[in-house]
Amino acid sequence: MRSRRALLYMPGDDLYKINKAATLGVDTICMDMEDGVAINRKEEARANIAHALGSVNFGTSEKLARINPVGSGLDESDLAAVLPARPDGIVVPKVHSAAQLHWVDQQIALSENSLKIPSGTIGLIAIIESAAAIMNIREIAASTSRLQAFIFGAEDLAGDIGATRTHEAWEVFYARSAVVTCAAAYRIQAIDMVFIDFRDTEGLRQEALVGARLGFSGKQIIHPNQVDVVQQAFTPTDEAVDHALRLIEA
């Protein structure tokens, strides 16, 4: 499974920013049709993402598209627009149950069949960001073999449970731990929460290091300035690599 140390969101309605992201050497670029796009610009975002997937040189960066939530009335149009352009994966926000992922899985399978590409070519990533999702997380993890990763959405989770977000993040610690533990049990990746203040480099570094120590394989980011800091935090040090090699040898 490819590395996702840094997952960078770009608004799908801004082709300039998508082109810029493709030059950054970030592990994963997620082109957004959901929260980062106003309701009156959803169609433009779909068209831009489909165009970018077919024309932009993303280099080694993974190319994902985030749709609107299942049941929103926008999800079918999102998938119909971007799946023919063959993204590497689809990111599904606000996943509360296995049934939601089953539906997206079926839509992707139909598209793969029509494109005549091998089944499972297009991956699936679920954002866990509600109390219901935490309660149903085992069923969600087992819902489809197409599932490659969980993304932890701390901001929406805190709002859902009535918590106040803090830098210490104790208010989301239980859910954060549940996500990374379940991901490990089902052999999928876990991508940690967003650090909102992109100007606070040291705060980002400390939060990323904590996420890495908890077992997350990467972190969501929202600004190009966050790329290097997060990639460094989730890259093993020479000492850690040497220690692992000595353990294997022993």
Side-chain angles (χ1 to χ4, degrees):
M1 190 177 295
R2 70 170 71 206
S3 169
R4 297 189 178 102
R5 294 170 301 170
L7 186 155
L8 174 64
Y9 290 106
M10 283 289 114
D13 60 338
D14 193 328
L15 197 54
Y16 171 80
K17 289 183 178 179
I18 294 173
N19 277 283
K20 175 66 175 178
T23 69
L24 299 175
V26 67
D27 304 281
T28 298
I29 297 169
C30 183
M31 294 167 280
D32 191 21
M33 292 174 277
E34 194 215 5
D35 286 348
V37 178
I39 190 66
N40 65 338
R41 295 180 66 86
K42 301 291 187 184
E43 190 59 46
E44 184 173 358
R46 294 175 188 134
N48 281 349
I49 293 171
H51 173 74
L53 287 167
S55 63
V56 174
N57 180 6
F58 288 89
T60 60
S61 297
E62 180 183 35
K63 310 174 293 294
L64 304 179
R66 179 165 72 168
I67 64 171
N68 285 279
V70 175
S72 64
L74 301 169
D75 46 350
E76 290 190 53
S77 296
D78 292 343
L79 290 170
V82 302
L83 283 175
R86 296 178 60 167
D88 294 320
I90 295 294
V91 175
V92 187
K94 298 177 176 61
V95 175
H96 310 307
S97 69
Q100 292 170 293
L101 286 191
H102 277 305
W103 181 81
V104 180
D105 182 37
Q106 291 170 353
Q107 303 309 304
I108 296 174
L110 290 171
S111 182
E112 287 174 337
N113 185 57
S114 67
L115 293 169
K116 295 180 171 55
I117 60 177
S119 176
T121 297
I122 300 173
L124 193 55
I125 297 174
I127 304 184
I128 304 298
E129 50 188 335
S130 69
I134 297 299
M135 293 298 98
N136 295 328
I137 195 164
R138 290 175 59 186
E139 291 80 7
I140 294 169
S143 62
T144 168
S145 60
R146 193 185 300 276
L147 184 64
Q148 297 178 351
F150 281 150
I151 292 174
F152 177 49
E155 308 305 319
D156 281 3
L157 185 282
D160 191 44
I161 65 176
T164 301
R165 285 288 282 118
T166 65
H167 278 294
E168 295 78 13
W170 286 110
E171 67 281 357
V172 295
F173 181 73
Y174 169 75
R176 195 179 182 190
S177 298
V179 168
V180 73
T181 301
C182 188
Y186 284 86
R187 300 294 186 266
I188 61 176
Q189 292 182 348
I191 311 300
D192 201 13
M193 56 196 186
V194 169
F195 188 81
I196 298 297
D197 186 359
F198 61 85
R199 296 181 181 87
D200 182 3
T201 301
E202 186 54 32
L204 170 65
R205 187 188 320 279
Q206 293 304 318
E207 187 176 276
L209 288 171
V210 170
R213 292 177 190 132
L214 285 172
F216 284 90
S217 55
K219 189 172 184 65
Q220 304 166 80
I221 57 177
I222 56 173
H223 194 277
N225 290 345
Q226 297 179 316
V227 174
D228 289 342
V229 175
V230 168
Q231 286 181 329
Q232 290 172 16
F234 285 92
T235 299
T237 63
D238 291 341
E239 292 80 2
V241 172
D242 181 63
H243 177 67
L245 290 172
R246 282 188 281 110
L247 282 177
I248 291 170
E249 185 179 350

mmCIF file of all heavy atoms in Angstrom, residues 6-12 14-32 52 56-64 221-225 227-228 231:
data_model
loop_
_atom_site.group_PDB
_atom_site.id
_atom_site.type_symbol
_atom_site.label_atom_id
_atom_site.label_comp_id
_atom_site.label_asym_id
_atom_site.label_seq_id
_atom_site.Cartn_x
_atom_site.Cartn_y
_atom_site.Cartn_z
ATOM 1 N N ALA A 6 1.442 12.547 4.139
ATOM 2 C CA ALA A 6 0.788 13.849 4.091
ATOM 3 C C ALA A 6 -0.318 13.804 3.042
ATOM 4 O O ALA A 6 -0.058 13.523 1.878
ATOM 5 C CB ALA A 6 1.799 14.937 3.748
ATOM 6 N N LEU A 7 -1.551 14.051 3.478
ATOM 7 C CA LEU A 7 -2.705 14.075 2.577
ATOM 8 C C LEU A 7 -3.197 15.509 2.499
ATOM 9 O O LEU A 7 -3.729 16.052 3.470
ATOM 10 C CB LEU A 7 -3.793 13.142 3.095
ATOM 11 C CG LEU A 7 -5.019 12.926 2.207
ATOM 12 C CD1 LEU A 7 -5.676 11.575 2.516
ATOM 13 C CD2 LEU A 7 -6.068 14.029 2.364
ATOM 14 N N LEU A 8 -2.985 16.141 1.342
ATOM 15 C CA LEU A 8 -3.278 17.558 1.150
ATOM 16 C C LEU A 8 -4.616 17.747 0.448
ATOM 17 O O LEU A 8 -4.840 17.212 -0.635
ATOM 18 C CB LEU A 8 -2.161 18.208 0.322
ATOM 19 C CG LEU A 8 -2.352 19.663 -0.119
ATOM 20 C CD1 LEU A 8 -2.412 20.594 1.093
ATOM 21 C CD2 LEU A 8 -1.237 20.088 -1.063
ATOM 22 N N TYR A 9 -5.510 18.526 1.081
ATOM 23 C CA TYR A 9 -6.794 18.861 0.465
ATOM 24 C C TYR A 9 -6.647 20.093 -0.416
ATOM 25 O O TYR A 9 -6.033 21.085 -0.023
ATOM 26 C CB TYR A 9 -7.850 19.157 1.533
ATOM 27 C CG TYR A 9 -8.300 17.948 2.310
ATOM 28 C CD1 TYR A 9 -7.886 17.744 3.622
ATOM 29 C CD2 TYR A 9 -9.151 17.009 1.734
ATOM 30 C CE1 TYR A 9 -8.296 16.640 4.345
ATOM 31 C CE2 TYR A 9 -9.568 15.897 2.446
ATOM 32 C CZ TYR A 9 -9.146 15.717 3.739
ATOM 33 O OH TYR A 9 -9.552 14.616 4.456
ATOM 34 N N MET A 10 -7.251 20.025 -1.599
ATOM 35 C CA MET A 10 -7.328 21.164 -2.492
ATOM 36 C C MET A 10 -8.778 21.341 -2.935
ATOM 37 O O MET A 10 -9.424 20.346 -3.310
ATOM 38 C CB MET A 10 -6.449 20.945 -3.727
ATOM 39 C CG MET A 10 -4.966 21.145 -3.503
ATOM 40 S SD MET A 10 -4.529 22.891 -3.261
ATOM 41 C CE MET A 10 -3.976 22.891 -1.561
ATOM 42 N N PRO A 11 -9.307 22.560 -2.902
ATOM 43 C CA PRO A 11 -10.690 22.765 -3.349
ATOM 44 C C PRO A 11 -10.841 22.443 -4.832
ATOM 45 O O PRO A 11 -10.075 22.943 -5.662
ATOM 46 C CB PRO A 11 -10.946 24.248 -3.062
ATOM 47 C CG PRO A 11 -9.583 24.864 -3.004
ATOM 48 C CD PRO A 11 -8.669 23.815 -2.478
ATOM 49 N N GLY A 12 -11.815 21.619 -5.151
ATOM 50 C CA GLY A 12 -11.978 21.170 -6.525
ATOM 51 C C GLY A 12 -12.362 22.263 -7.499
ATOM 52 O O GLY A 12 -12.168 22.117 -8.711
ATOM 53 N N ASP A 14 -10.958 25.124 -7.742
ATOM 54 C CA ASP A 14 -9.817 26.009 -7.990
ATOM 55 C C ASP A 14 -8.730 25.223 -8.724
ATOM 56 O O ASP A 14 -7.876 24.586 -8.108
ATOM 57 C CB ASP A 14 -9.286 26.556 -6.669
ATOM 58 C CG ASP A 14 -8.323 27.717 -6.860
ATOM 59 O OD1 ASP A 14 -7.606 27.735 -7.892
ATOM 60 O OD2 ASP A 14 -8.269 28.611 -5.992
ATOM 61 N N LEU A 15 -8.770 25.268 -10.039
ATOM 62 C CA LEU A 15 -7.818 24.506 -10.851
ATOM 63 C C LEU A 15 -6.387 24.991 -10.656
ATOM 64 O O LEU A 15 -5.444 24.195 -10.726
ATOM 65 C CB LEU A 15 -8.218 24.600 -12.333
ATOM 66 C CG LEU A 15 -7.604 23.566 -13.272
ATOM 67 C CD1 LEU A 15 -7.852 22.143 -12.791
ATOM 68 C CD2 LEU A 15 -8.149 23.766 -14.685
ATOM 69 N N TYR A 16 -6.214 26.274 -10.379
ATOM 70 C CA TYR A 16 -4.874 26.807 -10.123
ATOM 71 C C TYR A 16 -4.236 26.113 -8.918
ATOM 72 O O TYR A 16 -3.070 25.699 -8.949
ATOM 73 C CB TYR A 16 -4.916 28.313 -9.886
ATOM 74 C CG TYR A 16 -3.596 28.882 -9.416
ATOM 75 C CD1 TYR A 16 -2.570 29.151 -10.323
ATOM 76 C CD2 TYR A 16 -3.369 29.124 -8.055
ATOM 77 C CE1 TYR A 16 -1.344 29.651 -9.893
ATOM 78 C CE2 TYR A 16 -2.153 29.624 -7.618
ATOM 79 C CZ TYR A 16 -1.148 29.882 -8.538
ATOM 80 O OH TYR A 16 0.071 30.368 -8.111
ATOM 81 N N LYS A 17 -4.998 25.961 -7.842
ATOM 82 C CA LYS A 17 -4.472 25.326 -6.636
ATOM 83 C C LYS A 17 -4.197 23.843 -6.859
ATOM 84 O O LYS A 17 -3.235 23.292 -6.309
ATOM 85 C CB LYS A 17 -5.440 25.525 -5.467
ATOM 86 C CG LYS A 17 -5.477 26.953 -4.950
ATOM 87 C CD LYS A 17 -6.385 27.094 -3.739
ATOM 88 C CE LYS A 17 -6.367 28.523 -3.206
ATOM 89 N NZ LYS A 17 -7.262 28.711 -2.037
ATOM 90 N N ILE A 18 -5.021 23.191 -7.661
ATOM 91 C CA ILE A 18 -4.769 21.779 -7.975
ATOM 92 C C ILE A 18 -3.456 21.643 -8.745
ATOM 93 O O ILE A 18 -2.643 20.768 -8.454
ATOM 94 C CB ILE A 18 -5.945 21.187 -8.773
ATOM 95 C CG1 ILE A 18 -7.202 21.144 -7.909
ATOM 96 C CG2 ILE A 18 -5.599 19.789 -9.295
ATOM 97 C CD1 ILE A 18 -8.463 20.725 -8.652
ATOM 98 N N ASN A 19 -3.257 22.511 -9.728
ATOM 99 C CA ASN A 19 -1.999 22.485 -10.485
ATOM 100 C C ASN A 19 -0.806 22.763 -9.582
ATOM 101 O O ASN A 19 0.243 22.128 -9.715
ATOM 102 C CB ASN A 19 -2.049 23.516 -11.614
ATOM 103 C CG ASN A 19 -2.747 23.000 -12.852
ATOM 104 O OD1 ASN A 19 -2.181 22.223 -13.623
ATOM 105 N ND2 ASN A 19 -3.983 23.415 -13.048
ATOM 106 N N LYS A 20 -0.956 23.687 -8.649
ATOM 107 C CA LYS A 20 0.115 24.010 -7.709
ATOM 108 C C LYS A 20 0.421 22.804 -6.830
ATOM 109 O O LYS A 20 1.597 22.467 -6.598
ATOM 110 C CB LYS A 20 -0.302 25.205 -6.852
ATOM 111 C CG LYS A 20 0.680 25.573 -5.748
ATOM 112 C CD LYS A 20 1.992 26.074 -6.305
ATOM 113 C CE LYS A 20 2.899 26.557 -5.180
ATOM 114 N NZ LYS A 20 4.220 27.006 -5.692
ATOM 115 N N ALA A 21 -0.610 22.137 -6.342
ATOM 116 C CA ALA A 21 -0.420 20.975 -5.467
ATOM 117 C C ALA A 21 0.379 19.886 -6.161
ATOM 118 O O ALA A 21 1.182 19.188 -5.534
ATOM 119 C CB ALA A 21 -1.771 20.439 -5.012
ATOM 120 N N ALA A 22 0.169 19.743 -7.457
ATOM 121 C CA ALA A 22 0.853 18.691 -8.217
ATOM 122 C C ALA A 22 2.351 18.896 -8.294
ATOM 123 O O ALA A 22 3.087 17.960 -8.628
ATOM 124 C CB ALA A 22 0.265 18.601 -9.624
ATOM 125 N N THR A 23 2.832 20.085 -7.952
ATOM 126 C CA THR A 23 4.274 20.378 -8.015
ATOM 127 C C THR A 23 4.965 20.235 -6.664
ATOM 128 O O THR A 23 6.179 20.432 -6.574
ATOM 129 C CB THR A 23 4.513 21.813 -8.517
ATOM 130 O OG1 THR A 23 4.082 22.761 -7.509
ATOM 131 C CG2 THR A 23 3.764 22.075 -9.811
ATOM 132 N N LEU A 24 4.232 19.892 -5.604
ATOM 133 C CA LEU A 24 4.765 19.963 -4.247
ATOM 134 C C LEU A 24 5.451 18.687 -3.771
ATOM 135 O O LEU A 24 6.096 18.693 -2.723
ATOM 136 C CB LEU A 24 3.639 20.326 -3.260
ATOM 137 C CG LEU A 24 2.947 21.672 -3.484
ATOM 138 C CD1 LEU A 24 1.787 21.823 -2.514
ATOM 139 C CD2 LEU A 24 3.937 22.820 -3.333
ATOM 140 N N GLY A 25 5.280 17.588 -4.498
ATOM 141 C CA GLY A 25 5.854 16.335 -4.048
ATOM 142 C C GLY A 25 5.162 15.750 -2.835
ATOM 143 O O GLY A 25 5.750 14.964 -2.085
ATOM 144 N N VAL A 26 3.898 16.129 -2.628
ATOM 145 C CA VAL A 26 3.132 15.606 -1.495
ATOM 146 C C VAL A 26 2.706 14.169 -1.788
ATOM 147 O O VAL A 26 2.537 13.791 -2.942
ATOM 148 C CB VAL A 26 1.915 16.523 -1.218
ATOM 149 C CG1 VAL A 26 0.906 16.464 -2.350
ATOM 150 C CG2 VAL A 26 1.261 16.184 0.114
ATOM 151 N N ASP A 27 2.548 13.371 -0.749
ATOM 152 C CA ASP A 27 2.226 11.954 -0.946
ATOM 153 C C ASP A 27 0.862 11.764 -1.605
ATOM 154 O O ASP A 27 0.717 10.961 -2.525
ATOM 155 C CB ASP A 27 2.247 11.217 0.402
ATOM 156 C CG ASP A 27 3.569 11.386 1.109
ATOM 157 O OD1 ASP A 27 4.522 10.692 0.727
ATOM 158 O OD2 ASP A 27 3.658 12.228 2.022
ATOM 159 N N THR A 28 -0.140 12.500 -1.102
ATOM 160 C CA THR A 28 -1.508 12.332 -1.590
ATOM 161 C C THR A 28 -2.175 13.685 -1.755
ATOM 162 O O THR A 28 -2.096 14.533 -0.857
ATOM 163 C CB THR A 28 -2.332 11.474 -0.611
ATOM 164 O OG1 THR A 28 -1.753 10.165 -0.524
ATOM 165 C CG2 THR A 28 -3.778 11.340 -1.066
ATOM 166 N N ILE A 29 -2.835 13.879 -2.893
ATOM 167 C CA ILE A 29 -3.625 15.084 -3.140
ATOM 168 C C ILE A 29 -5.090 14.681 -3.205
ATOM 169 O O ILE A 29 -5.472 13.831 -4.004
ATOM 170 C CB ILE A 29 -3.209 15.762 -4.456
ATOM 171 C CG1 ILE A 29 -1.751 16.223 -4.379
ATOM 172 C CG2 ILE A 29 -4.135 16.939 -4.780
ATOM 173 C CD1 ILE A 29 -1.178 16.670 -5.714
ATOM 174 N N CYS A 30 -5.891 15.282 -2.339
ATOM 175 C CA CYS A 30 -7.325 15.002 -2.323
ATOM 176 C C CYS A 30 -8.066 16.225 -2.842
ATOM 177 O O CYS A 30 -8.105 17.272 -2.189
ATOM 178 C CB CYS A 30 -7.792 14.656 -0.909
ATOM 179 S SG CYS A 30 -9.541 14.212 -0.830
ATOM 180 N N MET A 31 -8.657 16.090 -4.021
ATOM 181 C CA MET A 31 -9.415 17.180 -4.636
ATOM 182 C C MET A 31 -10.851 17.123 -4.126
ATOM 183 O O MET A 31 -11.525 16.116 -4.233
ATOM 184 C CB MET A 31 -9.337 17.060 -6.156
ATOM 185 C CG MET A 31 -7.927 17.280 -6.681
ATOM 186 S SD MET A 31 -7.679 16.794 -8.412
ATOM 187 C CE MET A 31 -7.494 15.004 -8.231
ATOM 188 N N ASP A 32 -11.285 18.233 -3.556
ATOM 189 C CA ASP A 32 -12.488 18.245 -2.729
ATOM 190 C C ASP A 32 -13.716 18.747 -3.476
ATOM 191 O O ASP A 32 -13.659 19.728 -4.214
ATOM 192 C CB ASP A 32 -12.234 19.131 -1.508
ATOM 193 C CG ASP A 32 -13.315 19.003 -0.454
ATOM 194 O OD1 ASP A 32 -14.024 17.983 -0.452
ATOM 195 O OD2 ASP A 32 -13.432 19.920 0.375
ATOM 196 N N ALA A 52 -8.589 17.757 -14.355
ATOM 197 C CA ALA A 52 -7.256 17.612 -13.766
ATOM 198 C C ALA A 52 -6.787 16.161 -13.808
ATOM 199 O O ALA A 52 -5.622 15.881 -14.116
ATOM 200 C CB ALA A 52 -7.267 18.121 -12.326
ATOM 201 N N VAL A 56 -3.467 16.829 -15.780
ATOM 202 C CA VAL A 56 -2.399 17.331 -14.914
ATOM 203 C C VAL A 56 -1.401 16.208 -14.617
ATOM 204 O O VAL A 56 -1.792 15.073 -14.342
ATOM 205 C CB VAL A 56 -2.972 17.892 -13.594
ATOM 206 C CG1 VAL A 56 -1.850 18.283 -12.637
ATOM 207 C CG2 VAL A 56 -3.864 19.098 -13.876
ATOM 208 N N ASN A 57 -0.122 16.538 -14.667
ATOM 209 C CA ASN A 57 0.924 15.581 -14.297
ATOM 210 C C ASN A 57 1.122 15.645 -12.781
ATOM 211 O O ASN A 57 1.742 16.566 -12.268
ATOM 212 C CB ASN A 57 2.228 15.905 -15.024
ATOM 213 C CG ASN A 57 3.345 14.932 -14.665
ATOM 214 O OD1 ASN A 57 3.128 13.939 -13.964
ATOM 215 N ND2 ASN A 57 4.549 15.221 -15.130
ATOM 216 N N PHE A 58 0.601 14.644 -12.076
ATOM 217 C CA PHE A 58 0.702 14.612 -10.620
ATOM 218 C C PHE A 58 1.996 13.956 -10.134
ATOM 219 O O PHE A 58 2.196 13.829 -8.924
ATOM 220 C CB PHE A 58 -0.502 13.872 -10.029
ATOM 221 C CG PHE A 58 -1.789 14.638 -10.107
ATOM 222 C CD1 PHE A 58 -2.619 14.536 -11.217
ATOM 223 C CD2 PHE A 58 -2.176 15.470 -9.078
ATOM 224 C CE1 PHE A 58 -3.808 15.239 -11.295
ATOM 225 C CE2 PHE A 58 -3.362 16.191 -9.133
ATOM 226 C CZ PHE A 58 -4.185 16.075 -10.247
ATOM 227 N N GLY A 59 2.845 13.529 -11.066
ATOM 228 C CA GLY A 59 4.085 12.882 -10.659
ATOM 229 C C GLY A 59 3.795 11.620 -9.866
ATOM 230 O O GLY A 59 3.002 10.782 -10.271
ATOM 231 N N THR A 60 4.437 11.502 -8.711
ATOM 232 C CA THR A 60 4.233 10.321 -7.872
ATOM 233 C C THR A 60 3.117 10.504 -6.851
ATOM 234 O O THR A 60 2.849 9.600 -6.058
ATOM 235 C CB THR A 60 5.530 9.974 -7.123
ATOM 236 O OG1 THR A 60 5.907 11.087 -6.291
ATOM 237 C CG2 THR A 60 6.666 9.660 -8.089
ATOM 238 N N SER A 61 2.460 11.658 -6.847
ATOM 239 C CA SER A 61 1.399 11.912 -5.869
ATOM 240 C C SER A 61 0.158 11.079 -6.177
ATOM 241 O O SER A 61 -0.268 10.979 -7.329
ATOM 242 C CB SER A 61 1.014 13.392 -5.861
ATOM 243 O OG SER A 61 2.096 14.200 -5.467
ATOM 244 N N GLU A 62 -0.415 10.515 -5.130
ATOM 245 C CA GLU A 62 -1.691 9.807 -5.262
ATOM 246 C C GLU A 62 -2.797 10.825 -5.515
ATOM 247 O O GLU A 62 -2.791 11.917 -4.952
ATOM 248 C CB GLU A 62 -1.981 9.032 -3.981
ATOM 249 C CG GLU A 62 -3.284 8.248 -4.007
ATOM 250 C CD GLU A 62 -3.573 7.557 -2.686
ATOM 251 O OE1 GLU A 62 -3.236 8.136 -1.627
ATOM 252 O OE2 GLU A 62 -4.134 6.452 -2.716
ATOM 253 N N LYS A 63 -3.788 10.456 -6.334
ATOM 254 C CA LYS A 63 -4.855 11.371 -6.726
ATOM 255 C C LYS A 63 -6.193 10.852 -6.190
ATOM 256 O O LYS A 63 -6.698 9.816 -6.642
ATOM 257 C CB LYS A 63 -4.932 11.490 -8.251
ATOM 258 C CG LYS A 63 -3.593 11.790 -8.902
ATOM 259 C CD LYS A 63 -3.660 11.752 -10.409
ATOM 260 C CE LYS A 63 -3.925 10.354 -10.970
ATOM 261 N NZ LYS A 63 -2.805 9.413 -10.714
ATOM 262 N N LEU A 64 -6.770 11.577 -5.231
ATOM 263 C CA LEU A 64 -8.049 11.205 -4.647
ATOM 264 C C LEU A 64 -9.086 12.289 -4.917
ATOM 265 O O LEU A 64 -8.749 13.450 -5.140
ATOM 266 C CB LEU A 64 -7.919 11.024 -3.132
ATOM 267 C CG LEU A 64 -6.878 10.030 -2.618
ATOM 268 C CD1 LEU A 64 -6.886 10.017 -1.090
ATOM 269 C CD2 LEU A 64 -7.120 8.642 -3.178
ATOM 270 N N ILE A 221 -3.534 17.590 5.746
ATOM 271 C CA ILE A 221 -3.043 18.962 5.758
ATOM 272 C C ILE A 221 -3.881 19.816 4.819
ATOM 273 O O ILE A 221 -4.534 19.314 3.905
ATOM 274 C CB ILE A 221 -1.549 19.040 5.371
ATOM 275 C CG1 ILE A 221 -1.300 18.412 3.999
ATOM 276 C CG2 ILE A 221 -0.681 18.362 6.425
ATOM 277 C CD1 ILE A 221 0.147 18.521 3.532
ATOM 278 N N ILE A 222 -3.842 21.124 5.084
ATOM 279 C CA ILE A 222 -4.696 22.040 4.331
ATOM 280 C C ILE A 222 -3.922 23.159 3.656
ATOM 281 O O ILE A 222 -4.526 24.013 3.014
ATOM 282 C CB ILE A 222 -5.792 22.643 5.233
ATOM 283 C CG1 ILE A 222 -5.155 23.340 6.446
ATOM 284 C CG2 ILE A 222 -6.784 21.572 5.673
ATOM 285 C CD1 ILE A 222 -6.143 24.119 7.312
ATOM 286 N N HIS A 223 -2.586 23.136 3.797
ATOM 287 C CA HIS A 223 -1.785 24.225 3.231
ATOM 288 C C HIS A 223 -0.424 23.668 2.793
ATOM 289 O O HIS A 223 0.155 22.814 3.484
ATOM 290 C CB HIS A 223 -1.590 25.337 4.268
ATOM 291 C CG HIS A 223 -1.077 26.614 3.699
ATOM 292 N ND1 HIS A 223 0.274 26.834 3.473
ATOM 293 C CD2 HIS A 223 -1.722 27.744 3.298
ATOM 294 C CE1 HIS A 223 0.434 28.041 2.969
ATOM 295 N NE2 HIS A 223 -0.745 28.617 2.854
ATOM 296 N N PRO A 224 0.104 24.161 1.668
ATOM 297 C CA PRO A 224 1.414 23.682 1.204
ATOM 298 C C PRO A 224 2.530 23.822 2.238
ATOM 299 O O PRO A 224 3.469 23.019 2.258
ATOM 300 C CB PRO A 224 1.687 24.550 -0.028
ATOM 301 C CG PRO A 224 0.326 24.898 -0.542
ATOM 302 C CD PRO A 224 -0.530 25.070 0.681
ATOM 303 N N ASN A 225 2.452 24.840 3.104
ATOM 304 C CA ASN A 225 3.492 25.036 4.115
ATOM 305 C C ASN A 225 3.558 23.882 5.122
ATOM 306 O O ASN A 225 4.547 23.756 5.862
ATOM 307 C CB ASN A 225 3.261 26.339 4.888
ATOM 308 C CG ASN A 225 3.503 27.568 4.040
ATOM 309 O OD1 ASN A 225 4.093 27.485 2.966
ATOM 310 N ND2 ASN A 225 3.033 28.717 4.502
ATOM 311 N N VAL A 227 3.406 20.631 4.310
ATOM 312 C CA VAL A 227 3.849 19.377 3.679
ATOM 313 C C VAL A 227 5.126 18.836 4.302
ATOM 314 O O VAL A 227 5.172 17.701 4.782
ATOM 315 C CB VAL A 227 4.047 19.559 2.152
ATOM 316 C CG1 VAL A 227 4.651 18.292 1.547
ATOM 317 C CG2 VAL A 227 2.724 19.888 1.473
ATOM 318 N N ASP A 228 6.194 19.637 4.296
ATOM 319 C CA ASP A 228 7.496 19.144 4.760
ATOM 320 C C ASP A 228 7.465 18.731 6.224
ATOM 321 O O ASP A 228 8.050 17.708 6.603
ATOM 322 C CB ASP A 228 8.573 20.210 4.537
ATOM 323 C CG ASP A 228 8.911 20.407 3.073
ATOM 324 O OD1 ASP A 228 8.581 19.510 2.273
ATOM 325 O OD2 ASP A 228 9.501 21.445 2.730
ATOM 326 N N GLN A 231 5.604 15.365 6.532
ATOM 327 C CA GLN A 231 6.370 14.261 5.941
ATOM 328 C C GLN A 231 7.549 13.873 6.831
ATOM 329 O O GLN A 231 7.842 12.683 7.003
ATOM 330 C CB GLN A 231 6.851 14.639 4.541
ATOM 331 C CG GLN A 231 5.731 14.630 3.504
ATOM 332 C CD GLN A 231 6.212 14.977 2.108
ATOM 333 O OE1 GLN A 231 7.157 15.745 1.939
ATOM 334 N NE2 GLN A 231 5.571 14.416 1.107
#
